[in-house]
Amino acid sequence: MTFIIRQVTLQEIALPLREPFRISSGTVQERRILLVRLEDVDGMVAWGECVAGEAPNYSPETVDTCRHAIRAWLAPLLMGDPIADPALVTPRFDAAVRGHRMAKAALEMPVWALAAERLHESLATRIGGARARIDVGISLGIQASPEVLATKVAAARAAGYNRVKVKIAPGADLQFVAAARAAIGTKIPLSVDANAAYRLEDADHLAQLDSYGLAMIEQPLEPEDLRRHAELQQRLATPICLDESITSPARAEDALAMGSARIVNIKPGRVGGFSAARAIHDVCADQGVPVWCGGMLESGIGRAYNVALASLPNFSLPGDLSPSARYWERDIVQPEWTMDGDGTVEVPRNRPGIGVTVDVDRVDDLTVAREEVQA
Ligand SMILES: [Mg+2]
C-alpha cells in the first residue's frame, strides 16, 4: 500500500476557549493551534495537529518553531517519495533532523490516518488499538483557593470522570490536595501534577502527600532529572509518573531502568508521533509499567489521535481526554468528542481514519495564517 504525499499545507487557527485560561504570562482567550493538512497524489486528505504551545514553557518547541521545522526541513522529507509504511516516516525524519519532536509528530500522525483511510479502517485499528471505550480523567489547573478547588473536584466527580488530577506547585499543594481528597470521595482515583515545579530538596515536603493515597504524582522535578526522580521515588510511597521527561523510547527505557517512575504519561504529539509512542508503550508493557494518555489542550483533531493511541492495550489508566465542550465554544470536528455518563469516550472504530469529520469551513473561518509548503 504505497502512497505519495503531494501537498503539505500549514493552517494556523485561533480557537476560542470557553473560558479564559490563566497561565503565568497572562490570560488567553483563544488557543493558537497549528494544523497540518496532507494530500496524497490520489487526492485523499488527512488533517493533523501540532501540540506545541505559544510559549516554550512546557517544552522548548512552540507553534512558531514547529512551523519553521515543518516548512524548512520535515515536510520536504515527506513529499514526493513513496511511503510504503507509516512506520518508516520517523526513521526518515530522525536520520535528517534531531529533536523537533512536536513538529515531527504533527506530520507523522496524519500519515497513519491517511494509510487507515486508504485501507477503509479506523486509525485505532491501524495502530493496533484494542479497546472500544477509554476511561476519561480530568485535569484541574491551580485554583484560587482550596475551597474553589473542592467545588471543581465535586463537579468533576458528579460529571462522571474516572480520575481527577490536580495541578500543584510550591505554595499550592498540601492544603489544596487535602481539600480535593475530602471532596472526591473514595470511588475514583486522585492524582497530582507538578509540571516540574519542585526540587529534590523538597522530598520531605512531598512525602507529606503520601497520606492522601494519591494514584500518582506526575513530573515533580525537572525533565532532565532522571536520577533525582529515582532518588525521590525511593523516598515516596506515592508512585511517580513521568510526563515531560519521556521524550523517546530510549528515555523511557532509561527512566524505568533507573527506577525514576512507576507510571508513564505518553503524549504522541510530544514524542514524535505514533511510532515513538507505540515503542514507549511497548517498553512500559514489557516491564509491567502502566501508561496513560495526557492532553495538550488539543482541538478535536488532536483529540482523535490521542483517543486512537489510548486504545492500545497497556493504556490501562484513565486518559486526559475531556470532551470538546470542556474547552471549546465549538470544536472543529463533527461529531464533537463527548463523554458518556460512565466517564468513558468511545473509540470510533467503525469509521475510517480519525473517526471524525473536520469542519473545514470552520477551520477556514478561524485561520490566521495559511501556507503551502514547497517540496
Ligand atoms: Mg503533565
Side-chain angles (χ1 to χ4, degrees), residues 120-123 334-335 346-356:
H120 305 290
E121 60 184 17
S122 73
L123 179 62
Q334 289 164 346
E346 184 188 354
V347 182
R349 296 174 64 93
N350 298 322
R351 275 166 283 171
I354 64 172
V356 287

Side-chain angles (χ1 to χ4, degrees), residues 58 165 167 193 195 218-219 243-244 265 267 292:
Y58 169 88
K165 173 170 108 177
K167 298 276 187 181
D193 185 356
N195 289 107
E218 190 176 339
Q219 197 67 47
D243 172 357
E244 286 92 329
N265 171 349
K267 296 172 178 169
W292 56 281

Side-chain angles (χ1 to χ4, degrees), residues 7-352:
Q7 191 181 65
V8 176
T9 308
L10 294 175
Q11 223 164 315
E12 184 187 326
I13 61 169
L15 188 57
L17 285 153
R18 202 182 172 88
E19 48 189 66
F21 186 64
R22 221 176 66 213
I23 56 176
S24 53
S25 55
T27 302
V28 288
Q29 303 278 356
E30 51 192 23
R31 162 92 154 105
R32 283 179 66 190
I33 299 178
L34 187 63
L35 299 178
V36 175
R37 181 185 181 276
L38 304 184
E39 186 175 330
D40 72 11
V41 292
D42 300 318
M44 298 199 70
V45 170
W47 286 85
E49 174 171 343
C50 181
V51 301
E54 207 164 325
N57 51 16
Y58 169 88
S59 89
E61 294 185 83
T62 68
V63 170
D64 295 307
T65 68
C66 287
R67 188 203 320 278
H68 179 69
I70 291 171
R71 175 205 295 136
W73 308 307
L74 297 169
L77 290 169
L78 198 62
M79 288 187 281
D81 285 339
I83 297 170
D85 181 345
L88 300 175
V89 171
T90 292
R92 199 192 279 188
F93 284 166
D94 287 352
V97 177
R98 298 243 165 107
H100 297 282
R101 293 185 172 91
M102 290 180 177
K104 288 172 176 172
L107 289 176
E108 195 254 12
M109 293 197 286
V111 173
W112 288 93
L114 205 52
E117 287 270 4
R118 294 182 65 95
L119 293 164
H120 305 290
E121 60 184 17
S122 73
L123 179 62
T125 304
R126 182 92 293 261
I127 65 169
R131 290 168 202 282
R133 311 194 69 85
I134 299 161
D135 285 341
V136 177
I138 192 172
S139 171
L140 298 174
I142 295 171
Q143 304 296 320
S145 69
E147 294 70 31
V148 173
L149 177 63
T151 308
K152 297 233 170 184
V153 169
R157 187 180 74 164
Y161 282 100
N162 280 307
R163 187 262 292 135
V164 173
K165 173 170 108 177
V166 172
K167 298 276 187 181
I168 58 167
D173 46 28
L174 298 177
Q175 286 177 300
F176 285 75
V177 173
R181 181 80 266 173
I184 200 170
T186 53
K187 286 214 176 79
I188 59 171
L190 176 67
S191 67
V192 295
D193 185 356
N195 289 107
Y198 293 90
R199 303 167 61 82
L200 185 57
E201 292 71 37
D202 299 316
D204 288 338
H205 178 72
L206 291 173
Q208 295 181 69
L209 291 171
D210 283 344
S211 61
Y212 297 105
L214 301 175
M216 69 192 87
I217 174 170
E218 190 176 339
Q219 197 67 47
L221 310 178
E222 282 281 315
E224 306 296 327
D225 282 351
L226 286 188
R227 187 177 65 78
R228 290 171 189 80
H229 274 108
E231 275 184 47
L232 180 62
Q233 181 65 89
Q234 293 203 332
R235 295 169 65 177
L236 299 182
T238 306
I240 291 177
C241 169
L242 290 180
D243 172 357
E244 286 92 329
S245 290
I246 305 299
T247 48
S248 69
R251 223 24 214 160
E253 273 185 8
D254 291 354
L256 299 190
M258 294 170 79
S260 310
R262 295 180 189 155
I263 299 171
V264 170
N265 171 349
I266 305 179
K267 296 172 178 169
R270 178 193 71 219
V271 300
F274 280 149
S275 288
R278 290 202 308 178
I280 295 168
H281 165 274
D282 293 349
V283 163
C284 294
D286 284 349
Q287 306 216 18
V289 170
V291 304
W292 56 281
C293 183
M296 293 288 288
L297 205 56
E298 291 96 342
S299 79
I301 295 175
R303 178 77 71 243
Y305 290 94
N306 288 346
V307 167
L309 183 74
S311 71
L312 263 60
N314 193 39
F315 279 83
S316 54
L317 300 172
D320 283 339
L321 303 166
S322 286
S324 303
R326 172 157 190 248
Y327 299 114
W328 315 117
E329 287 170 9
R330 195 178 129 206
D331 208 337
I332 56 172
V333 299
Q334 289 164 346
E336 295 203 350
W337 292 98
T338 56
M339 180 175 81
D340 284 4
D342 64 349
T344 63
V345 59
E346 184 188 354
V347 182
R349 296 174 64 93
N350 298 322
R351 275 166 283 171

